[in-house]
């Protein structure tokens, strides 16, 4: 269930960006992505991942971007989300590129 939710979330986010930042599709994609993440790793691990002391800046930008997308400012919200996503998952990028 979790992988399906994350997959649909990424699909809706990409489709929303393709349709000139449609705020409804982006908001739906964000909600699906976050709920899928909770289903995959659990609520407690998701909470501890996002709210670690060294990741609070990235978390605030990412969740603030989600909130701004939900308030119908999709371009600004996606920019904030992208910065927060990069800041949150900075340690995973070298591992992913090494794997590729």
């Amino acid at each position: 269930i979790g992988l399906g939710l994350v997959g649909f979330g990424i699909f809706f986010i990409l489709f929303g960006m393709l349709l000139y930042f449609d705020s409804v599709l982006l908001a739906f994609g964000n909600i699906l992505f976050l709920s899928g993440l909770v289903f995959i790793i659990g609520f407690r691990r998701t909470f501890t991942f996002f709210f670690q002391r060294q990741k609070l800046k990235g978390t605030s930008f990412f969740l603030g971007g989600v909130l701004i997308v939900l308030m119908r400012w999709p371009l600004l919200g996606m920019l904030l989300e992208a910065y927060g996503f990069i800041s949150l998952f900075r340690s995973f990028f070298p591992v992913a590129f090494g794997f590729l």
Side-chain angles (χ1 to χ4, degrees):
I1 292 174
L3 286 175
L5 288 174
V6 168
F8 278 120
I10 290 172
F11 170 75
F12 279 113
I13 289 172
L14 292 176
F15 196 57
M17 286 192 301
L18 184 68
L19 291 175
Y20 300 113
F21 292 96
D22 183 30
S23 60
V24 174
L25 289 174
L26 291 173
F28 194 60
N30 285 329
I31 292 169
L32 285 175
F33 179 77
L34 290 175
S35 62
L37 193 63
V38 169
F39 270 99
I40 290 173
I41 63 174
F43 184 75
R44 183 173 300 222
R45 284 187 179 176
T46 303
F47 186 81
T48 57
F49 173 76
F50 277 108
F51 293 104
Q52 293 175 5
R53 182 179 273 305
Q54 66 269 19
K55 293 185 180 185
L56 277 177
K57 180 180 171 185
T59 300
S60 62
F61 273 100
F62 184 75
L63 295 179
V66 170
L67 185 66
I68 289 178
V69 166
L70 290 174
M71 292 176 14
R72 304 243 183 202
W73 288 66
L75 188 60
L76 178 64
M78 288 306 291
L79 288 173
L80 289 175
E81 278 184 50
Y83 178 73
F85 185 82
I86 290 170
S87 177
L88 275 173
F89 296 102
R90 182 175 297 164
S91 63
F92 294 117
F93 287 129
V95 174
F97 286 133
F99 179 73
L100 290 176

